[in-house]
Amino acid sequence: AEHPVTLAQDEITVTLDGKELRYGVDYIVSYENNTVEGTATAIVTGVGQYGYSGSVSAEFEIKVAEEPAEPTLEEIAVKEQCRKNYTEGETLDPAGLVLELKYSDGSTATAVYTEETAADFTFTPALDQQLTTSDTEVTVEYAGKTTAFNIKVQTAAVTIASVEVAEAPDKTEYTEGETLDPTGLVLRVIYSDGSDGTIGYNAETAADFTFTPALGTALTADIKEVAVTYQHHTANFAVTVNEKDPGTDPDPEPGDPGTKPEDPQKPGTG
């Protein structure tokens, strides 16, 4: 056997007529069945050189010690919290979260949330769930154990999400050279909280609108659409720009052949 069991010297006491004999001098010890768990035998044999002969035996038990049980995880707790302040609509950010792991043998360890360990953690609310102001506590599960930490979610500011044309301007057909007239234009304004409203172009609101082509710019026949921007959000409406009829120029230039006066009659003619 690779590891036979033997008794230490102080575990053996041999006496004869009240005298304690000396191990290795007065006697030697051999063994039987001392390689497996169970009952083994120690055989004490006298050393004849010193006048001792014969042998005597005694049994002893061999027990294999059990391997110590692996400690089990009994409890987890938040050791270092991650981000805790949010605005509604954001999602939970567990970066930096550190858990303390407490085991049955009294030992402790830590578990840090990283990209590599993310699969070991489960959160409620889930990481892809948008937070609301009613979310005040996050539950985290790790290795079958749970703990929790508090968060604060504040109301999101209502902002403009988009605009669209609710009513086109009164005039959408032009002749080349005319400029854009946005009178009558009404935009529908859609907000981040899902609500909406309207804003019309007028003298009081004109400064809030910008147009492409800009107001005051002479329109050309290739322009088919006008972009209107309100509070950094843009919508479009269609326009038609007709080519100018050359014969309808109201202000002819001097010397224009089309408007040359007739030659006066020469004397003696007519």
Side-chain angles (χ1 to χ4, degrees):
E2 292 184 9
H3 303 287
V5 178
T6 59
L7 300 173
Q9 186 175 340
D10 58 3
E11 293 178 306
I12 302 174
T13 302
V14 180
T15 60
L16 182 62
D17 297 331
K19 179 181 178 181
E20 183 174 341
L21 304 185
R22 297 167 297 176
Y23 176 79
V25 177
D26 300 324
Y27 66 91
I28 58 174
V29 181
S30 59
Y31 297 91
E32 292 180 353
N33 302 322
N34 65 330
T35 58
V36 294
E37 185 175 16
T39 301
T41 302
I43 303 169
V44 176
T45 302
V47 178
Q49 179 180 354
Y50 297 99
Y52 298 102
S53 61
S55 62
V56 64
S57 64
E59 294 181 341
F60 63 95
E61 292 296 318
I62 298 175
K63 293 183 178 180
V64 177
E66 295 182 357
E67 291 290 333
E70 286 290 329
T72 57
L73 180 62
E74 293 189 335
E75 181 183 353
I76 65 173
V78 175
K79 184 174 183 180
E80 296 179 23
Q81 186 169 335
C82 55
R83 178 184 170 191
K84 58 183 179 181
N85 293 314
Y86 297 87
T87 299
E88 60 181 349
E90 292 185 301
T91 55
L92 185 69
D93 179 9
L97 177 66
V98 179
L99 298 180
E100 182 178 35
L101 315 180
K102 301 178 181 180
Y103 291 91
S104 57
D105 62 354
S107 63
T108 61
T110 57
V112 180
Y113 181 91
T114 65
E115 290 184 2
E116 291 73 22
T117 64
D120 300 329
F121 293 74
T122 302
F123 296 90
T124 305
L127 296 184
D128 59 354
Q129 180 177 331
Q130 292 187 338
L131 299 173
T132 68
T133 54
S134 62
D135 293 316
T136 58
E137 185 178 80
V138 174
T139 300
V140 54
E141 180 178 348
Y142 180 88
K145 302 296 180 180
T146 60
T147 188
F149 56 88
N150 294 325
I151 60 172
K152 183 177 181 180
V153 183
Q154 65 181 7
T155 302
V158 178
T159 59
I160 296 176
S162 63
V163 298
E164 58 187 43
V165 175
E167 296 179 24
D170 297 335
K171 182 175 181 178
T172 58
E173 186 170 357
Y174 296 86
T175 299
E176 281 185 309
E178 290 186 297
T179 59
L180 184 70
D181 179 5
T183 302
L185 173 66
V186 178
L187 295 181
R188 178 179 176 231
V189 183
I190 302 158
Y191 296 94
S192 57
D193 63 355
S195 63
D196 65 356
T198 57
I199 181 73
Y201 178 89
N202 53 52
E204 289 75 24
T205 63
D208 298 327
F209 290 74
T210 57
F211 296 89
T212 303
L215 299 183
T217 301
L219 299 175
T220 58
D222 61 337
I223 295 175
K224 308 297 182 184
E225 191 173 65
V226 172
V228 52
T229 300
Y230 176 79
Q231 298 294 323
H232 307 292
H233 295 273
T234 301
N236 299 281
F237 59 87
V239 294
T240 300
V241 182
N242 299 310
E243 293 184 356
K244 183 187 298 184
D245 184 350
T248 61
D249 189 342
D251 299 310
E253 293 294 329
D256 187 329
T259 59
K260 184 177 179 181
E262 295 182 3
D263 293 337
Q265 279 189 331
K266 295 182 181 179
T269 63

